[in-house]
Amino acid sequence: MKTQRFAAFPIKPRDRRIMLYDFLIQPFGEFAFMKRSLVACLALALGSAPIGAILMLRRMSLFGEAMSHAILPGAAVGFLVAGFSLPAISVGGIIAGLVVAWAAGAATRATDQREDASFAAFYLIALALGVTLISTRGSSVDVMHILFGSVLAVDEAALLLLASVATLSLLILAAVYRPLLMDAFEPDFQFGGAIHHFIFLGLVVVNLVAAFQAMGSLMAVGLMMLPALAARYWAHSLPGIMLMATGIGALAGYGGLLLSFHANLPSGPAIVLVAGGGFLVSLLFGRARGLVQLLRRQPHLEA
Amino acid sequence: MADIHLHNVTVAYQRHPALHHIEGCFAAGSLTAVVGPNGAGKSTLLKAIAGRLPLADGHIELAGLKPRDIAFLPQQASLDRDFPLSVLELAMLGHARHAGVFGSFGKRGLAAAEAALAAVGLEGFERRRINTLSGGQLQRALFARVLVQDARVILLDEPFNALDARTVADLLALLHRWHGEARTVIAVLHDFDLVRRGFPQALYLARQPVAWGSTESVLTPENQLRARHMAESWDEDAALCRIPDQAA
């Protein structure tokens, strides 16, 4: 099939169609692992892109990054106890992430420390603990596994976890949506207490852990933040930003998997690179105050 | 009725009192201006009444007033002006305390927001993003949010700061409308002329009340002098306050 394609030259339009099909769709049709990873990426985009948008609006864009490090010691303990077992790593990661998120959140609310400062302190402690754990017991292969994950190794169980997390995230987000956003707009508003903030921090942790298996701890946050940050250059309204972010996230997942498949690159970084490309394009060409639009010096209007 | 009684109210930042043992009462339906130098605790007092700050001592008696009965107009600096909201959505936020965390805003919230925007002179601005508004327009939109909340007590933190004369006149008329509807209105102000023109009651604050009563009896040169002395006495090594807690 392949040799035929390159032998026929010049390419006829019909063959070009076949080439596009080979390039864009066939990898997902032919290989079950590609199919699974695509579904995994779509589930991830669905759950974590809206969360990224809310993080951005709460001025917590770097929080996901901190959290992705904070889950490391828990995941390491799970890994060392049970090997590359999804339940062990997930449970460990969620426990470590929740401890750090809630401890830092509580420290912020109880003292004068700013939230970003509290999180910096707590995640650094957790990260050092995690690296220590892995280096005393594990091999460098283990470290690579945990840092970069492997979306192509997602199995049925992992898929089920990702889908459940995405579903639960959207439902819980809907429940805390109003207080969460009112308090982002006006931090003093005091609507429905502080519980929604801690629920939201928990959601971030659970989503990062879900992404952990597929994307690795370093890349997990990429699919959460980059689409949301890109969406800000296209949409003006809050629902618009969230929908846009989900769409960009899904496209990045698809594009990144293709890139990874054809160029033989590790899938996690490939997906995040595509998302990053999406962000750069948005930064330049976004209709909502992108760079080109700002620099074009369009003539001013009458009123 | 819905009087607001302050009993021995003390609010402290890092143990230094911003409000010190305040006794007094805002009568239901009164229209009061809170004046005083910077650092006198004016905003702190409003936030304490709104339940946005913990009290270090004493208590505030809000006879029968629920959180939804108290509307608060914050200083613009405390808002995220780049938040992706339309003017209509901002006004509708006033309905949130009625709708609660889960309840629908429904047609009532929408209708109230549209009517409120018309009342503050922002008709036709419904779909505008709030980051395209001028300071005066945003202030009108925030007044619309207060209107939508339809509260019995309205607290306004420097509502006329940096506004042109026409906007001040429009918004002051709104205040008087609320006063006419027997709502309790408390506003923090700096412009004494405006207070004399528009407010029957005044509270001169300098961490403690310097004077509290009818405006002409409060805004006197003597009180002004006393307030200046009282407000500027932050002491790094202040001794422990020994005034007994009457409330306990």
Side-chain angles (χ1 to χ4, degrees):
Chain A
M1 176 92 189
K2 269 193 175 175
T3 47
Q4 231 176 29
R5 201 173 69 198
F6 287 111
F9 191 85
I11 302 166
K12 288 182 216 136
R14 210 181 77 83
D15 295 333
R16 211 176 288 149
R17 265 210 307 280
I18 290 173
M19 264 181 75
L20 266 186
Y21 174 84
D22 283 351
F23 190 81
L24 295 177
I25 295 167
Q26 203 214 359
F28 301 102
E30 194 170 333
F31 301 104
F33 72 89
M34 286 296 281
K35 218 174 279 175
R36 274 201 301 272
S37 20
L38 182 64
V39 176
C41 286
L42 294 183
L44 270 178
L46 202 61
S48 59
I51 289 179
I54 294 178
L55 279 172
M56 169 183 75
L57 292 173
R58 289 175 78 79
R59 290 166 294 277
M60 295 171 74
S61 293
L62 286 172
F63 167 77
E65 180 63 36
M67 274 304 101
S68 69
H69 293 311
I71 57 186
L72 200 62
V77 169
F79 188 70
L80 294 176
V81 168
F84 210 87
S85 125
L86 179 63
I89 291 180
S90 303
V91 170
I94 287 176
I95 290 173
L98 289 183
V99 167
V100 169
W102 287 343
T108 306
R109 275 161 198 250
T111 68
D112 290 339
Q113 190 75 270
R114 282 174 187 277
E115 189 138 46
D116 59 334
S118 302
F119 277 106
F122 279 94
Y123 103 76
L124 284 168
I125 297 170
L127 178 61
L129 201 62
V131 172
T132 310
L133 278 173
I134 295 176
S135 66
T136 50
R137 291 279 309 279
S139 66
S140 64
V141 179
D142 301 342
V143 180
M144 291 299 279
H145 252 306
I146 288 196
L147 291 184
F148 300 116
S150 170
V151 74
L152 303 179
V154 168
D155 57 12
E156 305 284 326
L159 214 51
L160 203 63
L161 175 80
L162 283 169
S164 321
V165 166
T167 310
L168 273 180
S169 293
L170 289 181
L171 289 176
I172 294 174
L173 213 50
V176 294
Y177 185 79
R178 197 174 290 168
L180 211 51
L181 292 161
M182 293 190 65
D183 152 286
F185 170 60
E186 187 183 348
D188 271 349
F189 195 79
Q190 306 235 327
F191 183 72
I195 182 76
H196 61 270
H197 184 61
F198 289 93
I199 293 176
F200 177 65
L201 294 183
L203 268 188
V204 176
V205 170
V206 171
N207 269 275
L208 284 175
V209 171
F212 196 99
Q213 160 91 354
M215 311 277 295
S217 78
L218 283 180
M219 296 295 130
V221 76
L223 210 48
M224 183 178 278
M225 292 319 299
L226 282 169
L229 301 178
R232 186 77 204 250
Y233 287 110
W234 298 102
H236 289 285
S237 74
L238 196 53
I241 289 176
M242 289 183 167
L243 282 176
M244 196 74 199
T246 308
I248 294 175
L251 272 181
Y254 169 72
L257 284 175
L258 274 186
L259 178 67
S260 154
F261 181 82
H262 291 297
N264 198 19
L265 294 173
S267 51
I271 291 168
V272 176
L273 274 178
V274 171
F279 170 77
L280 291 177
V281 168
S282 307
L283 166 74
L284 287 174
F285 303 109
R287 282 188 302 122
R289 291 190 291 171
L291 210 52
V292 168
Q293 196 196 36
L294 291 179
L295 293 178
R296 231 169 60 196
R297 294 185 60 94
Q298 288 160 302
H300 65 269
L301 306 172
E302 230 170 56
Chain B
M1 270 270 297
D3 295 348
I4 298 171
H5 287 280
L6 310 179
H7 297 293
N8 194 33
V9 168
T10 299
V11 177
Y13 298 114
Q14 295 161 40
R15 298 181 67 204
H16 293 275
L19 290 176
H20 210 184
H21 304 292
I22 297 196
E23 288 282 335
C25 169
F26 294 98
S30 61
L31 171 57
T32 312
V34 180
V35 298
N38 289 127
K42 306 180 295 295
S43 301
T44 303
L45 177 65
L46 288 199
K47 286 182 190 162
I49 295 172
R52 295 177 174 208
L53 279 178
L55 303 186
D57 215 339
H59 70 284
I60 297 173
E61 199 184 313
L62 301 165
L65 291 171
K66 291 187 276 299
R68 76 154 75 155
D69 295 323
I70 301 178
F72 188 93
L73 182 111
Q75 294 190 25
Q76 290 189 8
S78 68
L79 304 173
D80 179 2
R81 290 191 60 171
D82 274 326
F83 202 83
L85 280 179
S86 69
V87 171
L88 184 65
E89 287 166 337
L90 173 58
M92 279 179 78
L93 288 184
H95 197 65
R97 297 228 190 258
H98 298 277
V101 175
F102 301 112
S104 151
F105 276 61
K107 287 212 172 62
R108 263 189 56 211
L110 184 67
E114 279 169 347
L117 286 177
V120 298
L122 284 183
E123 236 166 332
F125 281 69
E126 286 83 359
R127 293 169 56 83
R128 281 271 290 274
R129 298 282 124 196
I130 58 168
N131 63 3
T132 65
L133 296 182
S134 71
Q137 290 166 337
L138 179 60
Q139 198 68 355
R140 287 173 186 264
L142 289 169
F143 266 78
R145 183 174 77 165
V146 171
L147 267 173
V148 169
Q149 195 177 331
D150 189 24
R152 287 157 72 194
V153 175
I154 296 168
L155 310 171
L156 310 157
D157 198 352
E158 308 207 3
F160 304 127
N161 251 22
L163 299 180
D164 64 16
R166 186 171 148 229
T167 309
V168 170
D170 286 357
L171 296 181
L172 192 61
L174 211 53
L175 248 72
H176 286 142
R177 190 183 119 193
W178 288 331
H179 185 47
E181 292 164 349
R183 302 176 202 268
T184 312
V185 180
I186 308 171
V188 169
L189 270 88
H190 281 295
D191 182 345
F192 280 21
D193 288 333
L194 192 64
V195 176
R196 290 201 182 87
R197 269 192 289 132
F199 292 79
Q201 302 279 311
L203 161 60
Y204 208 135
L205 197 64
R207 291 196 284 160
Q208 321 169 29
V210 175
W212 195 343
S214 70
T215 300
E216 65 268 37
S217 73
V218 167
L219 296 189
T220 62
E222 302 86 71
N223 286 338
Q224 215 162 338
L225 204 63
R226 280 177 62 206
R228 204 169 301 156
H229 286 302
M230 288 162 72
E232 287 168 359
S233 58
W234 163 290
D235 183 355
E236 239 357 282
D237 308 307
L240 220 60
C241 175
R242 294 290 185 192
I243 298 177
D245 185 353
Q246 293 106 329

